[in-house]
Amino acid sequence: MSRAAGQTHLALGNAPGFNGYAWAEFHYECTTMRIALHRNSNKTMSSAVKESKRVTTHTLQEMKQKEVPIAMITAYDFSMARLMDGAGVDVILVGDSASNVMAGHETTLPITLDQMIYHAGSVVRGCARALVVVDLPFGTYQGNSKGALNSAIRIMKESGAHAVKLEGGREVLDSVGRILTAGIPVMGHLGLTPQSIYKFGTYVVRAREEAEAERLKRDAKLLEEAGCFALVLEKIPAKLATEVAKCISIPVIGIGAGGGVDGQVLVMHDLLGITKEFNPRFLRRYADLHGVITSAVEHYVKDVRSSDFPRPDEQY
């Protein structure tokens, strides 16, 4: 998107009555030409995906109403985002899980706002159809709604993303409200919230006890009432997740939350079998890229060592 278009986004975002849905719809109009150019370079995409319009927050709402499950996946770079987008994914999350799978940290806490913006910009440039949502990293929104707004504006202006996501319930309502005043769509996240891992002390299933379950249900309603366009529920009992999805009008996307929600999300590296050490019950691996990539590189090393690569027909 051009710099002028980005300035228009900000101006409209501050206009009275310009809410998250309007922001997303306007963003679609601004990216129509980029979508067409991208499609021309992605001939392997199915005709159904090629003819699809940009997914917006309104699209997700319609999918919930029509009971069409939403497919969401993480991505962190241009090349993988282009593949995910071409495969028909509805939402690409630029997750703070980049801290784990891209940078090798034990938790999501170390990743910075600048790093998230870098990953988000790369993903946006690879997407023609999917809605791109970016995690607000730890320390950029908690307890400071003005800081939350500034962080969200930086993500939208500098990366071209379409929405932000943050973790927490009633404790982050001020931040949610402040971000929404700028017309920036917000996705919520309840249940297991990885940025609070040191508070929980473990990655076990959350909200098994009645008191925590009731708090989660109330927080889901509060986030809906605050204006969030969707909600992620992570690692909670399937029955509870189904209840939440039925009692709120916005789409509920689960990860380890059963099949009674409105959509599913997985981390790309886990789904594709790039990572091997992470094996929760909810994870289904659709490929073994760890094995494929390791074998391919071993073959390359062997060919180099034996001087089989390059052959005469691979030289100028």
Side-chain angles (χ1 to χ4, degrees):
M1 185 175 15
S2 69
R3 186 174 300 169
Q7 292 170 343
T8 306
H9 268 277
L10 184 60
L12 285 172
N14 289 320
F18 194 81
N19 58 24
Y21 293 114
W23 174 288
E25 295 295 343
F26 179 74
H27 195 287
Y28 163 71
E29 296 296 336
C30 288
T31 56
T32 299
M33 183 175 293
R34 185 170 63 84
I35 291 171
L37 291 171
H38 180 95
R39 284 181 182 146
N40 288 336
S41 67
N42 212 345
K43 299 299 184 182
T44 60
M45 206 184 299
S46 70
S47 59
V49 174
K50 282 197 292 184
E51 296 305 318
S52 297
K53 294 182 178 180
R54 167 75 74 183
V55 175
T56 69
T57 55
H58 181 69
T59 308
L60 301 186
Q61 190 65 46
E62 288 184 331
M63 292 176 74
K64 178 181 175 87
Q65 293 168 355
K66 295 176 181 178
E67 299 183 352
V68 178
I70 298 164
M72 177 167 154
I73 193 170
T74 66
Y76 315 96
D77 65 84
F78 170 82
S79 297
M80 294 305 292
R82 184 163 61 173
L83 288 173
M84 302 302 112
D85 188 62
V89 169
D90 303 306
V91 183
I92 292 182
L93 172 65
V94 185
D96 57 4
S97 49
S99 181
N100 311 113
V101 299
M102 299 297 287
H105 294 296
E106 182 180 1
T107 72
T108 62
L109 274 63
I111 198 163
T112 67
L113 181 61
D114 285 340
Q115 290 168 335
M116 289 300 299
I117 290 171
Y118 166 79
H119 286 295
S122 300
V123 168
V124 168
R125 289 188 289 275
C127 290
R129 175 182 176 272
L131 180 78
V132 178
V133 181
V134 183
D135 270 336
L136 283 168
F138 176 73
T140 63
Y141 63 93
Q142 295 95 334
N144 183 349
S145 62
K146 184 176 180 180
L149 175 61
N150 291 336
S151 299
I153 287 176
R154 279 200 62 198
I155 286 174
M156 301 297 283
K157 285 173 66 70
E158 296 177 36
S159 76
H162 313 132
V164 298
K165 181 172 78 66
L166 49 72
E167 299 178 4
R170 61 200 69 189
E171 67 275 16
V172 297
L173 288 178
D174 286 346
S175 291
V176 171
R178 184 69 74 95
I179 293 169
L180 287 169
T181 62
I184 299 173
V186 178
M187 177 182 284
H189 185 151
L190 295 172
L192 176 63
T193 48
Q195 291 180 12
S196 301
I197 185 56
Y198 291 124
K199 173 185 174 182
F200 295 142
T202 176
Y203 288 102
V204 298
V205 176
R206 305 303 311 173
R208 286 192 183 275
E209 302 298 324
E210 183 177 354
E212 188 177 353
E214 288 300 318
R215 179 183 176 90
L216 186 145
K217 286 192 284 188
R218 180 57 185 151
D219 280 347
K221 288 293 292 182
L222 290 172
L223 290 171
E224 176 192 26
E225 292 166 1
C228 286
F229 73 90
L231 175 66
V232 169
L233 293 179
E234 181 169 356
K235 212 169 183 182
I236 67 171
K239 181 180 178 181
L240 174 61
T242 301
E243 291 176 8
V244 172
K246 288 181 178 179
C247 76
I248 63 176
S249 62
I250 60 177
V252 174
I253 299 172
I255 176 168
V261 290
D262 304 304
Q264 300 293 329
V265 58
L266 285 175
V267 172
M268 176 191 70
H269 290 65
D270 301 332
L271 177 152
L272 294 177
I274 298 173
T275 55
K276 303 294 283 186
E277 62 279 359
F278 185 63
N279 295 291
R281 179 190 298 184
F282 65 78
L283 174 59
R284 181 184 297 180
R285 287 194 168 87
Y286 288 83
D288 179 22
L289 290 195
H290 182 279
V292 171
I293 293 170
T294 300
S295 177
V297 175
E298 287 176 345
H299 193 177
Y300 164 72
V301 171
K302 178 176 176 289
D303 286 353
V304 171
R305 296 274 193 267
S306 66
S307 297
D308 181 64
F309 176 78
R311 298 189 186 105
D313 62 341
E314 294 166 326
Q315 302 180 41
Y316 296 102

